[in-house]
Amino acid sequence: LAEARERVEAECPLTQTRPVVADMSEGFRFLRDIPGRKLVMYLGSSIGNFDPADAVRMLRQVHKELAAGDSLLLGTDLVKNPGILVPAYDDSQGVTARFNQNILSRINRELDANFNVKSFRHVALWNACQSRMEIFLESLCAQSVDIRLLNLHLHFSPGERIHTENSYKYTMPMVRRMLESSGFALEKSWTDWRKWFAVHLARV
């Protein structure tokens, strides 16, 4: 964060930067200390990694720290054809697969486990009913794993899966419901020309 601050201030000398180390679910109290009108920007599409109830809960925390006249600029990934979505989470170069399998490497390193990373394959599926991409690690064989720091002994059957990630994709009605449930009023949305991604301006 210190390096990012130096870089931002060097490139934008009129910008005042204040890094904050906080949990996203509880870390917005600093907003009330900032004078004047505020625009909170949550760009990218990481709101989609929250389950819907958790996304609303997090946005309510933001809303609670804002005042009339303040606003939120929120980025969302939009629902699109599974033929586009699935390859984005299961790319031919295996980048996402290595990212997913790294979870097991970290558990091995940080929780003293003995996962054989190569005995699990990356699986990415589109769940239309939940409007989300679901990411799994699937056991390729019958195997047992010890997570010693947690005193856990686990057995996996062939084909058994560990659910590692959800990534929700939104429709415009879903975005409106999420923002209104959080206390915001949706004012305007912008999309790219393919309507794959959107940015939404919402007011307190």
Side-chain angles (χ1 to χ4, degrees):
L1 285 175
E3 291 174 359
R5 178 179 185 172
E6 290 176 6
R7 190 165 61 249
V8 169
E9 292 184 345
E11 294 178 8
C12 308
L14 299 180
T15 301
Q16 293 182 347
T17 308
R18 178 185 167 188
V20 176
V21 179
D23 184 301
M24 287 191 68
S25 63
E26 297 289 342
F28 302 104
R29 292 175 186 164
F30 71 93
L31 290 171
R32 67 177 68 176
D33 300 327
I34 300 173
R37 291 178 61 192
K38 292 177 280 292
L39 169 65
V40 175
M41 295 190 295
Y42 190 17
L43 304 177
S45 58
S46 58
I47 190 71
N49 292 124
F50 289 89
D51 285 335
D54 293 329
V56 168
R57 192 174 298 114
M58 189 271 288
L59 291 175
R60 280 180 181 164
Q61 292 287 335
V62 175
H63 184 274
K64 186 173 69 173
E65 307 302 333
L66 299 178
D70 293 341
S71 52
L72 168 73
L73 195 63
L74 177 69
T76 59
D77 204 358
L78 299 179
V79 172
K80 50 190 74 74
N81 189 298
I84 297 166
L85 280 170
V86 174
Y89 288 82
D90 191 11
D91 60 282
S92 59
Q93 295 178 328
V95 174
T96 312
R98 289 192 295 275
F99 179 82
N100 195 21
Q101 290 168 323
N102 186 56
I103 294 170
L104 301 182
S105 298
R106 287 196 61 186
I107 294 173
N108 284 347
R109 184 172 65 249
E110 297 174 25
L111 298 179
D112 192 20
N114 61 348
F115 278 99
N116 179 352
V117 177
K118 293 183 179 179
S119 68
F120 287 84
R121 77 179 184 99
H122 170 72
V123 176
L125 300 173
W126 169 243
N127 184 332
C129 292
Q130 297 290 331
S131 196
R132 69 190 188 192
M133 284 298 302
E134 297 178 346
I135 311 302
F136 303 88
L137 289 167
E138 181 177 281
S139 178
L140 298 174
C141 58
Q143 55 184 309
S144 294
V145 175
D146 292 306
I147 306 179
R148 287 176 280 270
L149 200 62
L150 302 180
N151 197 28
L152 284 177
H153 179 76
L154 306 174
H155 178 77
F156 293 91
S157 301
E160 190 169 358
R161 292 173 176 172
I162 304 170
H163 192 163
T164 58
E165 181 187 352
N166 291 325
S167 184
Y168 286 83
K169 308 304 172 188
Y170 291 88
T171 63
M172 291 301 183
M174 288 171 64
V175 171
R176 183 176 295 276
R177 284 196 301 271
M178 174 175 61
L179 289 169
E180 289 179 351
S181 297
S182 306
F184 289 96
L186 178 60
E187 183 170 299
K188 188 173 178 62
S189 296
W190 298 267
T191 70
D192 64 293
W193 66 273
R194 295 175 296 191
K195 297 187 177 179
W196 284 6
F197 185 82
V199 176
H200 316 275
L201 179 64
R203 301 284 186 185
V204 173

